Amino acid sequence: MAQRRVGQADVLEAEPLLSDDRVETCSDDHVESSDLEFETTLPSTQAPNDEEAESAWLAELQNWPWYRRPSIFWMMPFMVVFGIVMGIIGSPMEQLNIQIICKDYLSREHDPLGKPPASYYSGNASSMAPDDRCRSPEVLAFVALVQGRYYAISGFLALLTLAKWTSLSDLFGRKVLLRLEVVTISLSQLLMWFAASSSNPFGYRLLYANAVLLGFFAQGTLISPAIFSYVADCTSTQERSIMMGYTGMTFALGRIIGPSLGGYIVKSTGDLTSVIKIGLIGFALLFVSLLVIPESLRKHGAFKMSEAATSDMPMNPGPPKRGSFFVVAWESLKRGLLAIVDPLLLFVPGSVPTSPKLPSRYTLALLLVASHLVGMALCGIMALFIPMTNLVFKWTSYEDGYYYSFAAACSFITFLAIFPLLQFLYKRYINRSGQIAFLSDFELDSERNETLLGELDSEERQSTPDSASTDNAIESLKMDTSFLLSGTMFFVVSFLVVPLFMSVPVLYVAEALSQIAMISFTANMSMLTTIVPSHQTGKALGALSVSSSIANTVANLLYGGIFAHTSATVPWFYYYVSVGLTLVGCLIQSVVWFSYHTRRNRV
């Protein structure tokens, strides 16, 4: 188991999550982008900066009735249930994939024409109980290759469609992505149920149809941007990273219960598909709950096409001229590629102007590259974990369930206790070392009020309230870079100890370290939502999802091939590949860390 703003009741802009729109002008009548316009009532010709807009929005939310007020406390129950359901179906579905591929592979061994005998499809879904023959190096090598293609298809299609789906978030709300995620997973479960039944005439090839379904709807890449966009919408900069951690903690709480429960159900029934029925009920409940959860997106003014945008649109050229087929095809291909890379354009050096919060024009690009490398290392290990443990330790979904429950418990403890404690200790160290103190929202509001009332002489003040807000944001960024780098270092250690001391206890120790290392991803998202302009928050987190899809696609192809060639000798060799990728990411993050921590603070 990665998109997302405004000012007062008056305004700024809710930009499409993954579009290339930019704010061009701001007047007291409207805010214009390259192709969208939102009518507004700005009190002055200059829009408030992000800090002022955020404070005004959060203050406005306090006046809303509780049943309409977005809050992370609405998302916490949703994430707990979602975590339970995903935990129940997670490992059994991985084992079911292996069984479907394996039984097809074994049946074709004795048929030169490659047609499975009728006996393969006899019986019902309970015939998909684990088969010891499916744990041989030869079979698991084939499984790794098929699953590599499976996830590559899903990941590539997600790249093509992610921009379209996630763009709905900044237009129609964060819950759109959540509904899409729930519906897509439910359809995938139904297809897997059919693939494991006696009515399936296609063998493991039906898994590719499932990959197309998941890829077309970008399943697995929507939940993270939707949830963290929701959190960013209703939290301040200073508390954002910790609130994101708490949201991750609630998901981990569900994952503590789900995997062990799923393993127990499969062991009791002897049927890997038994968890699908429970999962479908859970997803139905989640879909209904989204009707109650309030939307967090800030919408302002009337939405309409901008005159500037329409004037820039080319006139309808009519039917293409004879001989222009290849020109039209090339233009269509370019538009398709642009849809893939568009969210990443925000990270091109110079796309976001340098500011006190962005020390270098290369900072965002470095953050994205490092996140991509670490994500690819993690995706590769996660994709091969079950095939590797099936081969080396003969695990079933029962053992998998307890392992993943342990992992979720470590994640829960990390975000409930360890991460908040580390943040507290960091802030205490900074305050005692004589550097700028972190100011609370109340203190920042007090400074603004004192200035407006003229209670403090401007000559006696060393900074304005706006500069205090900026310095507070910079200190938050410095803290985030520290956790970003230290978390990645934990990943290096956790990946390295497994191949050096391969055993079941070491797997558990490494997983505990990996869950602590997850604070690096939370810190990375917190940094992005602080650095980029507020109306591009969704686009920034959308870019992370695109990067994650690319990393997942490349990792599954790369690691599947590595496992296929090393499964008979050193099946855990791919861990060393992850160590190398993570070390490179760690070096890049070190550059970012130095760029922030070598800056001089305001005296």
Side-chain angles (χ1 to χ4, degrees):
M1 2 213 73
Q3 357 166 132
R4 323 163 313 133
R5 285 297 279 147
V6 179
Q8 238 150 337
D10 316 299
V11 93
L12 286 181
E13 171 186 338
E15 184 177 73
L17 183 68
L18 295 177
S19 71
D20 57 356
D21 304 328
R22 299 290 186 273
V23 175
E24 299 292 342
T25 61
C26 243
S27 71
D28 50 6
D29 293 320
H30 64 275
V31 176
E32 254 183 39
S33 66
S34 62
D35 60 349
L36 297 176
E37 179 178 303
F38 292 82
E39 293 183 357
T40 62
T41 55
L42 288 175
S44 67
T45 58
Q46 183 177 4
N49 59 32
D50 284 348
E51 289 80 10
E52 292 175 332
E54 180 181 273
S55 298
W57 167 248
L58 295 177
E60 180 185 336
L61 286 182
Q62 300 307 310
N63 298 323
W64 289 18
W66 66 270
Y67 56 86
R68 286 188 55 228
R69 185 188 311 142
S71 168
I72 67 166
F73 297 107
W74 285 104
M75 275 298 155
M76 284 182 174
F78 178 90
M79 291 301 291
V80 170
V81 177
F82 186 78
I84 292 175
V85 177
M86 292 300 293
I88 289 175
I89 67 175
S91 175
M93 289 302 99
E94 290 288 333
Q95 295 285 2
L96 186 59
N97 279 345
I98 293 175
Q99 294 298 315
I100 293 173
I101 298 170
C102 168
K103 291 196 173 185
D104 201 344
Y105 176 83
L106 293 176
S107 66
R108 294 171 191 275
E109 281 187 323
H110 310 289
D111 188 342
L113 300 178
K115 182 178 180 181
S119 60
Y120 169 69
Y121 295 114
S122 62
N124 51 34
S126 62
S127 64
M128 302 305 294
D131 188 335
D132 287 339
R133 293 177 300 170
C134 296
R135 295 175 178 151
S136 67
E138 179 186 2
V139 171
L140 287 174
F142 180 71
V143 167
L145 289 175
V146 173
Q147 286 193 326
R149 300 168 194 154
Y150 170 90
Y151 289 118
I153 291 172
S154 177
F156 178 73
L157 289 176
L159 287 176
L160 296 175
T161 60
L162 181 63
K164 295 298 183 183
W165 293 122
T166 52
S167 64
L168 300 176
S169 174
D170 281 340
L171 289 175
F172 302 110
R174 315 309 186 187
K175 295 197 298 180
V176 170
L177 300 187
L178 298 178
R179 292 191 184 100
L180 189 62
E181 187 87 351
V182 169
V183 171
T184 303
I185 299 175
S186 300
L187 293 176
S188 172
Q189 293 300 294
L190 290 172
L191 188 58
M192 288 295 295
W193 197 353
F194 175 72
S197 70
S198 58
S199 303
N200 174 19
F202 306 106
Y204 75 83
R205 290 168 179 78
L206 197 59
L207 297 180
Y208 293 135
N210 191 45
V212 171
L213 171 67
L214 297 178
F216 182 78
F217 291 102
Q219 189 273 325
T221 60
L222 299 181
I223 187 70
S224 178
I227 292 298
F228 289 112
S229 288
Y230 194 101
V231 174
D233 287 340
C234 53
T235 58
S236 65
T237 301
Q238 290 73 38
E239 62 181 8
R240 188 165 298 155
S241 62
I242 193 67
M243 290 303 171
M244 287 181 177
Y246 283 146
T247 306
M249 176 197 70
T250 58
F251 180 72
L253 179 61
R255 292 300 296 261
I256 293 174
I257 304 170
S260 55
L261 181 59
Y264 176 78
I265 292 171
V266 171
K267 185 177 182 180
S268 301
T269 61
D271 181 3
L272 286 168
T273 64
S274 58
V275 297
I276 294 179
K277 307 164 191 176
I278 299 174
L280 291 174
I281 296 174
F283 290 127
L285 294 175
L286 288 171
F287 190 87
V288 172
S289 71
L290 288 173
L291 301 176
V292 179
I293 297 174
E295 179 56 59
S296 66
L297 180 66
R298 292 174 255 181
K299 295 182 180 179
H300 303 275
F303 172 76
K304 62 181 180 181
M305 289 296 295
S306 163
E307 294 181 2
T310 55
S311 64
D312 291 336
M313 295 173 61
M315 298 294 291
N316 185 2
K321 298 179 180 180
R322 183 174 300 178
S324 64
F325 171 79
F326 292 104
V327 175
V328 174
W330 172 245
E331 291 299 323
S332 299
L333 178 60
K334 287 197 297 184
R335 285 194 295 269
L337 293 175
L338 181 61
I340 297 176
V341 303
D342 174 65
L344 303 177
L345 296 179
L346 182 64
F347 291 78
V348 173
S351 296
V352 177
T354 56
S355 66
K357 294 187 293 185
L358 187 64
S360 168
R361 60 200 302 261
Y362 301 102
T363 299
L364 285 176
L366 292 174
L367 286 173
L368 184 66
V369 172
S371 174
H372 180 82
L373 292 174
V374 177
M376 191 163 72
L378 188 59
C379 284
I381 287 178
M382 293 173 63
L384 293 178
F385 182 80
I386 288 181
M388 188 272 289
T389 53
N390 279 8
L391 175 61
V392 178
F393 302 114
K394 310 301 180 186
W395 278 12
T396 65
S397 59
Y398 186 71
E399 289 80 12
D400 293 338
Y402 279 108
Y403 177 85
Y404 287 124
S405 290
F406 171 79
C410 293
S411 178
F412 181 81
I413 294 172
T414 295
F415 290 107
L416 177 66
I418 297 177
F419 193 30
L421 177 61
L422 291 175
Q423 287 195 327
F424 170 78
L425 294 176
Y426 179 91
K427 292 178 181 180
R428 187 174 181 180
Y429 167 77
I430 292 298
N431 292 338
R432 286 191 172 185
S433 64
Q435 301 182 46
I436 182 172
F438 284 83
L439 300 178
S440 67
D441 291 337
F442 175 79
E443 291 171 320
L444 291 174
D445 289 338
S446 297
E447 285 198 41
R448 292 190 180 96
N449 292 336
E450 288 171 350
T451 301
L452 292 174
L453 296 174
E455 294 179 359
L456 293 178
D457 184 6
S458 60
E459 294 182 357
E460 296 177 357
R461 296 177 57 85
Q462 295 179 342
S463 65
T464 65
D466 289 338
S467 66
S469 298
T470 301
D471 283 341
N472 215 29
I474 292 173
E475 289 304 315
S476 296
L477 288 169
K478 288 183 178 181
M479 178 178 67
D480 287 336
T481 57
S482 297
F483 292 126
L484 177 71
L485 181 58
S486 58
T488 305
M489 290 177 178
F490 269 91
F491 271 130
V492 173
V493 176
S494 67
F495 295 160
L496 186 59
V497 296
V498 173
L500 292 179
F501 311 100
M502 175 57 70
S503 64
V504 172
V506 170
L507 282 180
Y508 277 86
V509 172
E511 183 60 31
L513 294 175
S514 292
Q515 292 303 323
I516 296 176
M518 288 294 181
I519 64 176
S520 65
F521 290 113
T522 301
N524 192 48
M525 286 184 287
S526 177
M527 287 187 67
L528 292 181
T529 57
T530 302
I531 292 173
V532 302
S534 59
H535 65 277
Q536 292 181 319
T537 297
K539 187 171 184 177
L541 295 180
L544 284 184
S545 286
V546 172
S547 174
S548 176
S549 294
I550 297 174
N552 188 54
T553 302
V554 175
N556 278 284
L557 288 174
L558 174 64
Y559 281 67
I562 292 174
F563 186 78
H565 286 87
T566 61
S567 59
T569 54
V570 189
W572 51 81
F573 177 79
Y574 61 90
Y575 272 91
Y576 290 114
V577 179
S578 290
V579 171
L581 291 173
T582 310
L583 279 174
V584 176
C586 193
L587 290 175
I588 295 174
Q589 291 171 351
S590 299
V591 175
V592 176
W593 186 91
F594 278 108
S595 70
Y596 279 98
H597 286 263
T598 55
R599 300 178 59 174
R600 299 183 62 182
N601 292 320
R602 172 171 58 89
V603 179

